[in-house]
Each structure stands twice: as C-alpha cells, then as structure tokens.
Amino acid sequence: MAWLTTELNRHIYAYHVLDAPTIPDAEYDRMFRELQDLEAAHPDSATQDSPTFRVGATPISEFKQVIHTLPMLSLNNGFSPEDVDSFDRAVRKGLIAEQTEYASELKFDGLAISLRYEDGVFVRAATRGDGATGEDVTVNIRTVRAIPLRLHGAIIPRVLEVRGEVLMYKLDFAKLNMRQRDAGLKEFANPRNAAAGSLRQLDSRITAARNLRFFSYGVGALEGADMPESHSKLLDWLGQLGLPVSNERAVVTGAAGMLAFYTDIGNRRAGLAYEIDGVVYKVNRLEHQRQLGFVSRAPRFALAHKFPAEEALTQVQDISVQVGRTGAITPVARLAPVFVGGVTVENATLHNEGEVRRKDIRIGDTVIVRRAGDVIPEVVSFVPERRPLDAREFVMPLGCPVCGSPIVRLEDEAIARCSGGWTHCSAQKKGGLMHFVSRRAIDVEGLGDQLIEQLVDKGLIHTAADLYTLDQTRLCALDRMATKSAQNVLAALEKSKETTLARFIYALGIRNVGESTAKALAGHFGNLDALLHAAGWEGGLQLLEVADVGPVVARSIAEFLTDPQNAQLVTQLRLHLRWKEGVHVMKPAGALAGKTFVLTGTLPTLGRDDAGAMIEAAGGKVSGSVSKKTAYVVAGADAGSKLAKAQELGLAILDEASLLELLAASSPSSSIEHSEHSEQAEQAQQAP
C-alpha cells in the first residue's frame, strides 16, 4: 500500500504538474484499483496522502469557518505606466536605494486559497473569505490532482501554509460547458466562476470531476525550516517541494523592467492556457519586504498591474429600465449579443438618465462596450460615423414599468425612483428580500432569487418577517421544490436567526447604508433601541455623530426607521432574530470632523471603499450626492454628473493626489497610506 501510494502520487505529479506522463493510463488505472482493493481490506492502514482521497467523499452539510494564521490581504492596483513608476519610486524611497529588484509574475483569474501542511502532509485548505476568516474546503481541495497530498524534498517544514490560486484551464472550461449543455444545465459564465463554483460544492465528487488546477505564489506561515532570502527563491523552493509554480515569472530591475514584463505577458496573454487579468510585482528580497511592511489591507512591497478592460463594438437594440430594491430606475442598454472579456454581453447599465444624456447614447447606435475591471459591462461611448438616421433618444417613463407608480427624482439626486415603495412595487419587494437573505446580510443559504420570485408572485410572503412563518407544506407547493429542498430552506432560515446587529442593519436595505455604514452604526450605538431613538430624535440629528454618516445618509436612515410600515417590520423581525447588544459608544471626532466628501469616477489607485474609510478615519463624512453642504468632491476618471454639479456650485474639487495630501495633513503622523479593495478582488497577501 505504501509503495502504491508513493508511485501513484509520483505519476500524478508527472502528469498534472509537469505535463509529462510516465506510464500509460491503463497501467495507472490498474495500480489505482489495486490500491483501492487493499485499502478496502485494510482500512486502518490507509494514509492521508493516498490518491484514493482525490475521487471525492460523502457530501457535507456546510463549510466550517477557518481563521487564517496570517491574514490573506489585498494588493494595491495599478493601471498605467505612471502607477508603476510611482510604485517603484515609493519602494526606492522606503529602502533608500537607487534601484530595486522585483519578482514579476502572473495575476491569475481564479480563487485564492491557503493550504496547510504539517510535517509534509496536507491537512487543511481554506478560501480567502474576508481575509481574516475563510471557509474550510479541505475535502474538495483533496480532489485537485495538481496539489500534492504529501510534500517531497530534502527539507520538509514542520508547518507550511501555502498561498495560491485555484483555477480552471480554458480547455477544461470549454469541456465543462459542453457537458452542461448536453445535460440541459446552465452554463458557466467564465473559467473563474466555474472554478469558484466547483470548489464550493458540498459534494466533493462534483469537484473531482471538474479538473481544477493550482498555482502557488507565496507562504502564509512557516515553522521548522528557514525562509529563502528572496521571493524568487521561495517559489523555486515551493516547486522543489512538489507544489505547482508557474514558469511565467522573472526577476527584473526597476520600473522599466516591470513594464517590459507586463508588455511581454500582455502580448502572450491570449495564448496562455488559463485566464489572467494582469501581472504582479513584488520586491524580491524578503528582508526588504519586511522593511517596507504593510498598510491597511495591502503590502507596500507589491503591486497588481491590471490589464485594460476588454472592449468590443455592438449595437443598442433598445433602452429599457430596471427597478432596483430601493426603487432606483436604471436605464439598461439591450445590446446585440457580443463576446467581451470572456463572456457574452447582452445588457449593459447606463447608470442614470443624466449619464445617458451625457454620453448621448441612442437606440440604434453602434457603441463601444467594455467590461470594466473585467467584470461589469458598460457602454463607453457611441461611434458617431455609424449613427443611423433613425436613431431614437431615450425617454424616461413617467410611471414604474412594474407597478405603475409615478417615477420621481429629487433635486439633489441623479437617480430617478419608483414612488410605490416595497408595499406596492413587487420589483422593490423582491429586490429587498433578495438583499435581506444575501450572504453578507442575514445569509439564508439556498433561498435564491428564483425562489424569492415565486414566493412573492404567489403571495406567500410580503415582508422579510414573513420568511420566518414559512412551513414545509407551503414551500413544497412551489415549482421544483421537493421535501428535502424545503427542509434545507427551513433549516437555513432557522440558522439565520443568530446574526449580528451590523448584519441586521445592512439587511434592512436602507438607502445609502452599505456594510461599512451598518458596522459603524452598530459600533456607535451598540444596540437597536439606541439607534431607533436617534433616528426619531429631531429628524435623526444624533445620527450625524457617527463617523460614517453624513446628512444624506442620516436622512435616509431617519426616514426609513420612522416610517410606520418599516418600524412594524423591524418590530416583527426582532421576534425572530437574535444578536448580542452592547452599549452606546461615543467616538471622538477627527481632524476633518464636519467635512462632507463626495467620491465620483475611478481614482488611479484608491478603491472607493478605501478612500471613504480613510476620510472617515480622519473624521470626515462621505455622502452619495452633491449639495451646497459638500466640502470636497473627489473626482477620478469618467466622473459624471456629480462633478458637473460640483463645478456649477463652485465646490472644492480634489484629485487623488490632493486628497492624500489633505489626509496626510490632517493625520497626527502625517503619513496616510492607501490600498485597493473591491467586491471582485480576491487577492491574498503576496498573491498574484
């Protein structure tokens, strides 16, 4: 058994990592069956590195949580040669050096994973999660044949946590979608979604059939062995241990070397076997990395240089509107199908009526479509010379297309909204319920969009509180809902009753209240009664004491929580949900206390969440709309109507550099730093 295990693992490594098979498939299958038979006869003698673990195991009920030994952090993003040059200057300044070596590698478009080995044996795998805590996907990772179940080499560390990326090759993705089509199942949008979905299967046998791959690119924890002196030597060592490492890497010097690597990879990107969305530069010497250190959620010694968004031409066949959960009316371009950035795009948001007018997009236009950040389809502009004579301008409807209620637009807002509210507009009701049960809110697993649609359409639920009155009989009456599925939904609803105050506030779907604001409200007031009192006192004036809350957000919170129907909903939900409550916490004001900022457009390196967090840390407030009370408007590329209104009102307008200078001047240490963060980023510390 030991001999067969060692030999089979050697052949797996040769086949899946080196791409150099050493024996015929039939011989491998014969040896594999022999090992299976021996393990069946002697189950106590099977070892953890046996290749038989790779075929999948009995389905599990849920993924457990894993706290990372060392957080899996994000990377700062760069988009231009100037960003790379700025990064190089900052590194050389921090190291007091004339030039610096950088390890340059690929930025894989997959799912970040941490693998833990103890005495050379694989024991656990976890997803990145929120960076501090991930999901235990050990059973599924065992099925990835490229990942060794036992390390080999002269020096085996006592503990090794490897950071890397699980992904699916383009060819394997095409084969998977072919099987999905043949089975009449939904196809995956792109290889990354397919890899992420495969890794989060509760039945690991499904994961085993998906042929996932893996590349390692860093270390989270190491005990019982010396760390190599450089990142490039670290990757060499990981390869010697039997871990897959990409050969598409190089050690370069300075900004010129980094840009040359970027250009070379960009030219060969289409020919790679897998998807990438950029390259990553890291200061090569690990001692220099430690010297530069970290800031917020990102290391100072690394930069992700992303490729520009892919673009294509297509025609606008129509412009219709969608109704969001807060009643927002969003114009949507209905496009002739076009393949952009790895997916077929048929719809693209036009954001709001003002944006349609600014870009002068008309029905019948030929337009440039871009997948911004390789994720969100957007219409960049129209092609003037291809505009037909019968091109028609978009006209915002007067009534909601779902409920017929009047569409209104407040003077200080760019977005028009349905006035029907969730009680009259089924689109708002459905959107609100989908938000309520979403993963970052109350997190009711298995209660998806189609199920919410049915529950609302059949009149079985009207509010979020009604979810907790559902029973098996009513659920089983729905389409494609068997007894077991109904039981799973009810179990998930029961589990969701244990939550946090921050999640509850976020789940309510209050306009302008995102996760960070919900956390700030929960942290400031400590308990729901204190928040309700503040919302009802003098129009919510007390809410302005919260660092994350400006006048517009305060008004949204006050209007929502004092509305009789919403107040009744909160009362009903409190009968079902439970969370730990604390006491009202008073927070000291920062140097920018009372200053309201509005962020618009795309900043060169800062993500909007991070820019907002930095402003709030200095005592400022971030608002979603421009008014006479706005102190500063921070404008980036493609800034639209908010910038125009700021110029009209004569407000102070900052670019990213000016914002950082202002924050640095208001900081006691005069050294504000920044990092990139977005919902699409799942990058880890030292993670391409």
Side-chain angles (χ1 to χ4, degrees):
M1 288 171 64
W3 180 83
L4 283 169
T5 296
T6 300
E7 283 297 291
L8 286 168
N9 280 332
R10 184 170 66 85
H11 295 313
I12 289 171
Y13 178 77
Y15 186 94
H16 290 280
V17 180
L18 301 180
D19 197 23
T22 49
I23 57 173
D25 290 350
E27 178 62 13
Y28 175 89
D29 293 339
R30 185 197 64 76
M31 294 171 66
F32 190 89
R33 286 194 299 271
E34 183 179 357
L35 179 59
Q36 282 183 311
D37 293 339
L38 286 169
E39 288 181 348
H42 308 281
D44 293 339
S45 298
T47 56
Q48 287 296 307
D49 61 333
S50 170
T52 60
F53 281 111
R54 297 188 183 277
V55 298
T58 304
I60 59 175
S61 59
E62 63 179 316
F63 294 109
K64 298 178 181 178
Q65 298 295 298
V66 174
I67 299 175
H68 298 301
T69 305
L70 195 68
M72 298 179 70
L73 305 181
S74 301
L75 294 180
N76 287 329
N77 276 355
F79 299 91
S80 68
E82 290 76 16
D83 295 335
V84 177
D85 190 60
S86 296
F87 167 67
D88 180 49
R89 286 200 308 271
V91 167
R92 287 188 285 111
K93 181 179 178 181
L95 296 176
I96 315 177
E98 291 186 3
Q99 62 180 18
T100 305
E101 274 192 346
Y102 297 94
S104 302
E105 51 200 25
L106 305 182
K107 185 176 183 296
F108 301 106
D109 195 12
L111 190 69
I113 291 291
S114 179
L115 309 177
R116 184 177 176 88
Y117 290 84
E118 294 179 0
D119 295 321
V121 178
F122 170 72
V123 295
R124 190 178 67 208
T127 62
R128 177 184 182 274
D130 62 5
T133 304
E135 291 180 317
D136 188 332
V137 289
T138 304
V139 177
N140 287 347
I141 282 293
R142 286 185 183 278
T143 71
V144 181
R145 289 169 170 78
I147 296 176
L149 299 180
R150 181 184 292 274
L151 302 177
H152 58 72
I155 301 176
I156 301 297
R158 186 169 61 254
V159 173
L160 175 65
E161 282 192 1
V162 180
R163 301 288 162 80
E165 199 97 353
V166 169
L167 52 112
M168 183 176 288
Y169 278 23
K170 296 173 185 176
L171 181 59
D172 294 324
F173 172 72
K175 292 178 179 177
L176 171 61
N177 267 349
M178 188 181 298
R179 293 197 300 271
Q180 294 289 105
R181 283 194 300 272
D182 292 344
L185 301 174
K186 182 179 178 181
E187 294 181 38
F188 291 93
N190 51 55
R192 187 198 179 281
N193 287 355
S198 300
L199 203 56
R200 297 198 75 255
Q201 293 289 330
L202 296 179
D203 187 345
S204 61
R205 291 168 294 190
I206 297 176
T207 310
R210 296 281 173 85
N211 201 20
L212 298 177
R213 312 291 183 117
F214 174 81
F215 284 115
S216 51
Y217 48 56
V219 168
L222 177 64
E223 298 174 15
D226 294 328
M227 185 74 80
E229 64 180 16
S230 68
H231 182 74
S232 57
K233 290 184 178 179
L234 171 63
L235 295 183
D236 290 340
W237 180 54
L238 292 177
Q240 293 164 11
L241 291 174
L243 290 155
V245 180
S246 172
N247 291 325
E248 298 290 348
R249 52 193 169 98
V251 176
V252 301
T253 302
M258 289 187 280
L259 291 173
F261 179 82
Y262 174 86
T263 301
D264 175 57
I265 294 298
N267 291 336
R268 297 190 290 111
R269 178 185 182 188
L272 295 176
Y274 39 80
E275 297 283 359
I276 60 172
D277 56 2
V279 300
V280 173
Y281 315 121
K282 300 171 187 169
V283 172
N284 193 31
R285 290 187 62 82
L286 300 189
E287 178 56 35
H288 289 169
Q289 291 187 7
R290 287 188 284 271
Q291 185 177 336
L292 290 165
F294 298 81
V295 58
S296 186
R297 292 183 290 269
R300 289 190 180 94
F301 55 80
L303 179 74
H305 190 178
K306 303 189 77 172
F307 290 126
E310 296 186 23
E311 299 179 343
L313 286 177
T314 188
Q315 187 178 42
V316 178
Q317 298 178 329
D318 195 7
I319 298 178
S320 59
V321 297
Q322 288 183 339
V323 186
R325 64 178 177 84
T326 62
I329 304 294
T330 303
V332 177
R334 307 301 181 186
L335 308 170
V338 61
F339 197 70
V340 187
V343 300
T344 299
V345 174
E346 298 183 52
N347 306 299
T349 179
L350 292 169
H351 302 292
N352 55 63
E353 185 179 11
E355 188 74 357
V356 178
R357 303 286 176 248
R358 185 181 72 82
K359 291 183 176 180
D360 191 21
I361 305 299
R362 302 182 186 183
I363 300 167
D365 274 344
T366 295
V367 294
I368 299 172
V369 178
R370 176 172 63 196
R371 293 191 65 219
D374 285 348
V375 176
I376 305 167
E378 66 170 340
V379 175
V380 180
S381 62
F382 76 99
V383 182
E385 58 270 25
R386 296 195 184 185
R387 170 166 283 174
L389 295 175
D390 60 350
R392 294 178 289 121
E393 292 190 13
F394 166 71
V395 178
M396 177 67 76
L398 299 177
C400 172
V402 176
C403 69
S405 299
I407 291 176
V408 298
R409 183 164 71 89
L410 299 179
E411 185 177 348
D412 61 345
E413 291 192 359
I415 298 174
R417 298 182 188 277
C418 165
S419 60
W422 60 267
T423 54
H424 296 95
C425 183
S426 63
Q428 293 186 55
K429 184 180 298 183
K430 292 174 182 176
L433 287 165
M434 291 172 189
H435 172 77
F436 182 84
V437 303
S438 64
R439 190 177 178 190
R440 296 183 180 277
I442 295 301
D443 189 16
V444 185
E445 190 172 350
L447 194 55
D449 295 357
Q450 292 183 347
L451 192 54
I452 293 289
E453 293 260 4
Q454 284 195 71
L455 289 169
V456 173
D457 290 342
K458 293 180 182 294
L460 295 178
I461 59 173
H462 301 283
T463 72
D466 294 339
L467 291 168
Y468 296 96
T469 66
L470 291 171
D471 55 34
Q472 185 172 313
T473 301
R474 283 187 286 174
L475 285 173
C476 286
L478 299 176
D479 296 340
R480 299 182 179 181
M481 180 59 67
T483 300
K484 181 61 176 177
S485 298
Q487 291 173 345
N488 289 341
V489 170
L490 293 174
L493 283 166
E494 185 64 31
K495 181 181 176 182
S496 73
K497 291 180 179 180
E498 295 289 341
T499 187
T500 66
L501 177 57
R503 279 179 174 267
F504 175 72
I505 296 170
Y506 176 62
L508 290 175
I510 304 170
R511 192 193 310 174
N512 300 317
V513 176
E515 283 184 272
S516 62
T517 303
K519 289 177 182 177
L521 290 167
H524 183 90
F525 291 104
N527 62 80
L528 183 58
D529 288 330
L531 172 59
L532 295 174
H533 175 77
W537 183 72
E538 294 189 4
L541 186 63
Q542 191 178 351
L543 295 169
L544 295 174
E545 297 175 2
V546 183
D548 201 25
V549 175
V552 172
V553 177
R555 185 171 69 230
S556 295
I557 298 168
E559 289 177 352
F560 184 95
L561 293 178
T562 57
D563 178 89
Q565 290 179 322
N566 292 334
Q568 182 181 10
L569 172 63
V570 170
T571 299
Q572 291 171 340
L573 285 171
R574 294 182 78 173
L575 299 175
H576 302 286
L577 303 177
R578 299 177 293 275
W579 58 80
K580 293 181 180 179
E581 293 200 328
V583 295
H584 187 139
V585 181
M586 297 297 294
K587 303 281 182 73
L592 296 179
K595 304 290 185 182
T596 301
F597 291 70
V598 172
L599 302 168
T600 181
T602 303
L603 299 177
T605 62
L606 281 174
R608 230 179 245 197
D609 288 345
D610 286 320
M614 292 162 64
I615 291 167
E616 290 151 6
K621 300 169 185 175
V622 179
S623 172
S625 58
V626 177
S627 70
K628 293 180 180 179
K629 295 183 179 180
T630 303
Y632 301 97
V633 172
V634 183
D638 298 325
S641 58
K642 293 178 182 178
L643 176 59
K645 185 169 184 179
Q647 292 169 333
E648 180 184 328
L649 294 174
L651 302 177
I653 299 172
L654 307 176
D655 59 11
E656 182 180 294
S658 300
L659 171 64
L660 293 174
E661 288 177 8
L662 179 64
L663 292 169
S666 66
S667 169
S669 63
S670 295
S671 60
I672 298 289
E673 299 287 351
H674 62 274
S675 69
E676 185 275 338
H677 176 70
S678 70
E679 291 183 1
Q680 294 76 36
E682 294 201 37
Q683 310 312 314
Q685 176 191 353
Q686 301 188 20

